Amino acid sequence: MTALLPYGRQHIVEEDVTAVAEVLRGDWLTTGPQVQAFEDDLAGWTGGVGCAVVSNGTAALHTAYAAAGVGPGDEVVVPPMTFAATASTAVALGAKVVFADVEEETFTLDPAAAAAAVTSRTRVVSAVDYAGHPADYDALRRALAGSDALLLADAAHSIGAHYRGRPVGSLADLTTFSFFPTKNLTTAEGGAVAATDPAVLERARRFRNHGLVRDRAEQRWPDEGGWHQEVHEFGLNYRLPDVLCALGRSQLRRLGDFLAARERLVRRYDEALADLPGVLLPAHRSWARPAWHLYPIRVLDGRRREVYDRMRAAGIGVQVNYIPVHWHPAFADLGYRRGSCPIAESFYEQQLSLPLYPGLSDADQERVVEALATALRGAPAASAA
């Protein structure tokens, strides 16, 4: 039986193993020197914007919203074409999520839809760099003009991408990253928050560490003793340990190579699928250099489910990214309804992610292309019975 070809996977080499082993042999496993070093390394990819590493991408979103002051009575604008965590972490802080539709072709947050969704209660507008393609951040800034809302970039897909020559991480007030194994670099589980305002970054760092205040100049009772630390605002344990930061640092040294490999594979897909009827290929704006976390095609004529099933049966691990967030039962139970974001919903009905990761061989990619062509050549399921 042919092994399933995954839609994404990590790329681990001996240098990664050595980096982790060195930490395991040392004195620090949790919060030690590798944490600060990883944060400093990440800042090299964010245009110098400071970062706080956290335990996963969901923790990054939760931490960023908390650092932005999101709470009961606030609203957070979110596109529905994302993983549920972009919205659920705002709900966890007591905020109301307002869904705003996405643009055609890139399926990132539509600035006009965002502008229409912003009210006096909006605390954060969250853009999502879907598939690794940056949202239109300059247009989003204009959409927020006159509002006190902060702009957040959910860059779980897009570390290393550029927008009009500027790196992701420097484009929004807050940026969140994910280092899950299928992402563009991995720490196994892990994430980070970048913030252009040092005060917001400090709040993020405190939130990830139970809200603890260790600086005596900021403590209410600084004379208790050298052991003393205080909780001024509640936080959580979202720390990323030294051992995983060492893996992240090793991976980050190869991020440029990872991005180049993904870009090459995308070009090969574009060429191989250019004349294949029944599909639309992902778009690429001239002002963006995407990080290409996903290769999302659109399967036309209502055949997405059929093509998905046929490719899975052929051992190709295609995936669907994502169910529109407001369709999830947890949001339906809060009163959100289908039909409110028609572009995102139409895209979902067609979307299919083809395998894409740096270790994907040319032969495996050709196998994907052939399986897709074969699936599309088959009679539509409804008429084959």
Side-chain angles (χ1 to χ4, degrees):
M1 181 177 178
T2 305
L4 182 72
L5 192 66
Y7 89 96
R9 67 172 301 168
Q10 68 274 13
H11 188 275
I12 301 295
V13 298
E14 193 59 35
E15 287 85 350
D16 299 325
V17 177
T18 299
V20 170
E22 286 178 356
V23 174
L24 289 172
R25 295 187 185 103
D27 295 328
W28 300 91
L29 291 182
T30 55
T31 304
Q34 293 293 328
V35 174
Q36 182 65 61
F38 187 30
E39 291 175 346
D40 291 344
D41 291 349
L42 285 168
W45 286 88
T46 62
V49 176
C51 299
V53 294
V54 293
S55 54
N56 54 64
T58 299
L61 287 159
H62 196 191
T63 299
Y65 287 143
V70 170
D74 292 329
E75 294 178 352
V76 174
V77 176
V78 174
M81 192 42 56
T82 182
F83 185 62
T86 313
S88 63
T89 48
V91 175
L93 289 164
K96 176 186 176 183
V97 170
V98 178
F99 289 104
D101 213 348
V102 296
E103 292 190 299
E104 290 277 7
E105 297 187 334
T106 66
F107 304 101
T108 57
L109 181 62
D110 182 352
V118 169
T119 72
S120 60
R121 295 183 296 278
T122 305
R123 176 72 66 171
V124 173
V125 172
S126 296
V128 175
D129 293 342
Y130 180 77
H133 192 295
D136 192 346
Y137 286 97
D138 287 349
L140 286 168
R141 285 288 188 193
R142 292 192 293 270
L144 269 60
S147 166
D148 293 330
L150 295 181
L151 180 60
L152 182 145
D154 181 339
H157 294 183
S158 63
I159 188 168
H162 284 73
Y163 169 84
R164 301 188 186 278
R166 288 135 50 199
V168 165
S170 68
L171 306 171
D173 301 301
L174 288 151
T175 304
T176 61
F177 299 110
S178 171
F179 307 134
F180 189 72
T182 58
K183 298 302 196 300
N184 294 354
L185 70 99
T186 189
T187 57
E189 291 278 7
V193 178
T196 56
D197 183 338
V200 175
L201 181 62
E202 179 59 25
R203 288 201 295 272
R205 287 179 169 156
R206 285 186 181 174
F207 185 82
R208 71 162 177 201
N209 191 31
H210 301 285
L212 290 171
V213 176
R214 292 195 172 103
D215 187 342
R216 293 185 66 187
E218 298 181 43
Q219 292 177 347
R220 296 185 190 178
W221 297 288
D223 299 323
E224 288 291 309
W227 66 86
H228 189 59
Q229 51 191 351
E230 299 175 348
V231 174
H232 291 189
E233 294 181 326
F234 294 122
L236 295 167
N237 179 0
Y238 279 159
R239 298 187 299 262
L240 187 66
D242 245 38
V243 65
L244 297 186
C245 287
L247 174 57
R249 295 186 71 201
S250 180
Q251 289 265 304
L252 198 59
R253 286 191 282 272
R254 303 201 308 284
L255 179 57
D257 294 336
F258 292 160
L259 296 173
R262 289 174 177 274
E263 191 171 43
R264 185 185 75 86
L265 289 165
V266 166
R267 285 197 302 269
R268 293 188 83 243
Y269 270 139
D270 286 349
E271 293 169 3
L273 302 176
D275 298 321
L276 184 65
V279 298
L280 295 177
L281 307 187
H284 172 195
R285 301 293 193 202
S286 61
W287 41 253
R289 184 171 184 182
W292 292 121
H293 165 59
L294 301 174
Y295 189 83
I297 65 170
R298 282 179 278 173
V299 180
L300 306 180
D301 304 318
R303 300 185 66 191
R304 192 272 308 275
R305 172 65 181 272
E306 169 200 344
V307 170
Y308 172 93
D309 289 342
R310 287 178 171 175
M311 292 190 74
R312 282 271 173 162
I316 308 299
V318 289
Q319 186 58 282
V320 172
N321 304 95
Y322 298 95
I323 298 170
V325 178
H326 61 295
W327 283 20
H328 285 288
F331 284 93
D333 291 347
L334 292 174
Y336 296 91
R337 294 290 176 260
R338 300 186 181 206
S340 60
C341 295
I343 296 173
E345 294 173 35
S346 176
F347 176 58
Y348 162 70
E349 298 286 0
Q350 300 174 331
Q351 196 277 333
L352 194 67
S353 297
L354 302 185
L356 182 67
Y357 50 91
L360 185 70
S361 70
D362 288 357
D364 283 338
Q365 189 176 31
E366 289 160 9
R367 179 182 156 202
V368 174
V369 170
E370 179 56 33
L372 176 60
T374 299
L376 287 165
R377 280 197 300 267
S383 62

